[in-house]
Amino acid sequence: MYRIKERYTNEYIIQKSRFVCIGIPLSDESLVKLTIKELQKEYPKATHYCYAYRINNKEKSSDDGEPSGTAGRPMLEYLINAKLENVLVVVIRYFGGIKLGAGGLLRAYVESAKKAFENAVLYKMEYHNEYEITMKYKYYDFIYNYLMKETGKIINTRFEEDVIVNYLALDLSLDDINKITNGDIKVEIKDKHLVYIKN
């Protein structure tokens, strides 16, 4: 699954109708109506404000007055096929006077959903372990340099009777660490964190 961290906006014209395409990260379904109201203020007097979302395993779409099944549902299908989650896509249409027909509308709204994410930076979500590594001071420089070469991230270091390092990583090779310290080290998994990984 993929997510976005910021809002993306794009627009284009089809048969004199203006389509404003907006992708917005949302993690709370209760914010959808408020977000759409804000967009109605930002883009006043539009003909339609069609939308689709996938938020915390919940899905919904709206044609907002367009013929049934020509706007919201195709946009939702796009989100599903693109494996996007915790996201709201809104397509705001300013009618230009030329009717597109059901097929034309469906294609226009699918293309609009795509355009909303055309320049988006996508992130994968992964659960990473938070390791707590307790070591003697004499090992700190070695362990610190070793961890800095790995793909994880040091999130906290405490200098107490021993040195305690909290390290966030998908995985951690204990074999190498044990070789460095001759096994004179304590490693525990303290927690799990959901982490954004740039696609």
Side-chain angles (χ1 to χ4, degrees), residues 133 135 139-154 165 167 169 171-181 185 187:
I133 306 165
M135 70 196 83
Y139 298 126
Y140 174 67
D141 286 341
F142 293 104
I143 298 297
Y144 175 83
N145 290 328
Y146 173 79
L147 294 176
M148 291 301 288
K149 291 175 185 175
E150 295 294 297
T151 57
K153 178 183 178 184
I154 294 173
V165 174
Y167 183 70
D171 197 14
L172 179 63
S173 173
L174 298 181
D175 290 342
D176 290 337
I177 289 177
N178 283 325
K179 284 177 188 175
I180 293 170
T181 62
I185 195 167
V187 180

Side-chain angles (χ1 to χ4, degrees), residues 126-130 155 168 190-195:
E126 292 180 345
Y127 277 102
H128 284 211
N129 294 318
E130 180 186 337
I155 55 176
L168 195 62
K190 301 298 288 186
D191 203 353
K192 285 188 178 288
H193 299 261
L194 201 55
V195 176

Side-chain angles (χ1 to χ4, degrees), residues 44-61:
K45 299 180 181 178
T47 319
H48 304 282
Y49 301 85
C50 304
Y51 67 86
Y53 66 78
R54 301 182 76 204
I55 300 172
N56 297 328
N57 298 316
K58 293 182 180 179
E59 301 173 344
K60 191 174 179 181
S61 63

Side-chain angles (χ1 to χ4, degrees), residues 85-99:
E85 66 176 1
N86 280 22
V87 68
L88 166 69
V89 60
V90 181
V91 175
I92 299 161
R93 183 188 181 193
Y94 290 88
F95 181 55
I98 299 174
K99 292 185 177 180

